[in-house]
Amino acid sequence: MPVPPRERILVALSGGVDSSVAALLLKQQGCDVAGAYMKNWINEDNILGECPWQQDIVDARAVAEKIDIEFQVVNLMRDYRERVVNYLLDGYSRGLTPNPDVMCNREIKFGVLRAWARDHGFNAIATGHYAQRIPTEDPLDPQGRFALLEGADPNKDQSYFLALLSQEQLRDARFPIGHLQKPELRALARDAGLVTADKKDSQGICFIGEVKMQDFLRAYVPDAPGPIIRATDEKTLGLHKGLHYYTIGQRKGIGVPSNTDHQAYVVVGKRAADNALLVAFESPSAPGLFQSEVRVHSLQWNARPLTAPATLEGRVRYRDPRIPLDFIPEGRDAALVRFHSPQRALASGQVLALYDGPRLLGGGIYV
């Protein structure tokens, strides 16, 4: 009986420890592995300070050499600018709070890079996401479909960021580290002598490392001053530099002082009609701060699309726990969502991830 060919997998090596171990494990499993660093962004004007991409390439290349796999840099800068950066800037300029990490996964890692990989003879794309892909056990799904589960480490689970992947994208995705706890992963990296074993995890915007979102927006979106208005009585409290600098639920950096009882203001809304930033004192009754229902659009499913009302769970933002909700479809790609308990600070443009227990079904974007 002929031996089936080894699966050819392209690992998106970011220069961090997670993707390094993903490549290591696949190589140990006997897969035909190569590594690629996605060159998404260069801060050519140096207006944001130093960006880490050069060191990341050095580290990614060192990992590839250590585990003896091919490595190359793939230039995706034009696609990234068009599909993620412009999406981000356009959203903020319209008063939304977009999620570039979710869009990067859908449009770049499992979009443009996936297409590049297929054109170069690879069967799949692997990343260092803490998520698990398994054959589906749904009897109504045809064979050859896959379910996406949360990562085994509850402190590192990144399934939320994969909420807008399709089943077709999931078919070609591999998540080799999803079953690991972070300390286990670092131990594997140390045992293998990888230079990234103790490298700090990046915390900034997905494509420019440690740069804070406000600094990025300040560099690329013009200021648009307007009034800061107390939502409860329409009193003007001050001026803001632009609605794109603020998000619903924000407490710090608003620019208006607390009252004599030391109650702090919180952002509860953005009003496009008069470019007003709406604030109120933090409380369950603050207008607009807590919501029991929302509408979502641009729904994407990696499971069978839901066409009838259902009780599910949702993650309203990364690192939040799953919470119960009633899902009521409104057409093919929109729905009304009713939460079983009010949720704080849901910003238009952000992503709601939908779950059936630990299985990620899909997601949509808050209207």
Side-chain angles (χ1 to χ4, degrees):
M1 183 174 180
V3 177
R6 290 191 300 167
E7 190 173 43
R8 292 201 72 209
I9 302 178
L10 183 69
V11 182
L13 282 176
S14 67
V17 65
D18 296 333
S19 61
S20 299
V21 174
L24 173 69
L25 293 179
L26 290 172
K27 180 69 182 296
Q28 291 175 344
Q29 292 165 13
C31 299
D32 183 359
V33 184
Y37 178 89
M38 298 187 306
K39 194 174 185 180
N40 294 331
W41 175 269
I42 294 179
N43 182 24
E44 294 173 325
D45 300 324
N46 204 34
I47 58 179
L48 295 172
E50 185 178 353
C51 290
W53 66 271
Q54 290 173 312
Q55 185 60 49
D56 288 341
I57 290 178
V58 170
D59 292 341
R61 191 184 304 277
V63 166
E65 291 176 354
K66 182 67 177 180
I67 63 178
D68 192 25
I69 63 173
E70 294 180 6
F71 175 79
Q72 60 186 303
V73 176
V74 180
N75 189 335
L76 302 180
M77 290 173 61
R78 184 182 67 182
D79 292 297
Y80 205 94
R81 180 79 194 200
E82 293 174 354
R83 299 183 184 221
V84 178
V85 179
N86 288 348
Y87 154 82
L88 177 73
L89 296 176
D90 176 69
Y92 272 103
S93 68
R94 294 188 291 116
L96 305 177
T97 307
N99 192 310
D101 298 285
V102 173
M103 203 57 61
C104 174
N105 288 321
R106 186 179 78 174
E107 297 293 327
I108 303 300
K109 287 189 180 79
F110 299 104
V112 177
L113 184 64
R114 171 174 168 259
W116 184 95
R118 292 175 71 86
D119 288 343
H120 288 77
F122 293 94
N123 309 105
I125 289 286
T127 66
H129 283 100
Y130 287 84
Q132 301 179 82
R133 167 189 172 275
I134 63 171
T136 180
E137 296 180 357
D138 187 339
L140 298 180
D141 274 340
Q143 289 185 347
R145 290 176 65 89
F146 296 89
L148 184 57
L149 307 183
E150 295 173 337
D153 187 337
N155 295 315
K156 299 299 294 183
D157 166 51
Q158 294 173 309
S159 58
Y160 174 86
F161 294 120
L162 306 171
L164 299 187
L165 295 190
S166 67
Q167 176 63 210
E168 183 181 12
Q169 290 173 309
L170 185 57
R171 181 196 65 205
D172 292 342
R174 303 292 184 270
F175 306 113
I177 69 168
H179 63 290
L180 294 173
Q181 304 286 317
K182 186 74 177 202
E184 293 179 274
L185 179 135
R186 287 201 181 275
L188 289 172
R190 292 188 195 102
D191 290 344
L194 303 184
V195 297
T196 55
D198 295 303
K199 188 174 181 178
K200 181 182 176 183
D201 293 339
S202 63
Q203 300 294 329
I205 305 173
C206 64
F207 55 96
I208 50 175
E210 300 298 326
V211 176
K212 294 180 180 179
M213 182 64 75
Q214 283 209 352
D215 293 336
F216 179 77
L217 295 174
R218 190 172 291 111
Y220 292 96
V221 181
D223 286 354
I228 301 174
I229 293 177
R230 189 160 59 200
T232 51
D233 60 6
E234 290 293 310
K235 180 180 179 179
T236 299
L237 302 175
L239 292 173
H240 65 80
K241 292 184 178 180
L243 294 180
H244 52 282
Y245 292 126
Y246 306 89
T247 189
I248 309 302
Q250 180 176 332
R251 298 187 184 96
K252 296 181 179 180
I254 300 174
V256 291
S258 57
N259 64 10
T260 55
D261 294 325
H262 303 291
Q263 292 175 298
Y265 283 109
V266 60
V267 175
V268 297
K270 303 177 185 182
R271 195 163 62 201
D274 56 354
N275 194 33
L277 182 70
L278 305 179
V279 301
F281 292 125
E282 175 89 34
S283 76
S285 61
L289 185 58
F290 288 84
Q291 294 174 264
S292 294
E293 66 177 42
V294 295
R295 280 185 162 81
V296 293
H297 66 91
S298 303
L299 281 166
Q300 177 66 64
W301 304 96
N302 68 67
R304 288 183 299 109
L306 292 178
T307 57
T311 297
L312 304 173
E313 290 181 302
R315 184 166 276 124
V316 300
R317 60 180 65 83
Y318 178 52
R319 291 197 181 280
D320 277 21
R322 287 185 270 115
I323 47 96
L325 57 83
D326 294 323
F327 179 87
I328 304 161
E330 294 184 335
R332 195 174 76 172
D333 66 350
L336 173 66
V337 173
R338 292 195 176 112
F339 300 107
H340 290 193
S341 59
Q343 298 299 304
R344 183 185 184 278
L346 304 183
S348 297
Q350 277 287 338
V351 171
L352 172 67
L354 298 167
Y355 292 81
D356 179 9
R359 180 181 179 181
L360 175 68
L361 303 177
I365 299 173
Y366 298 125
V367 173

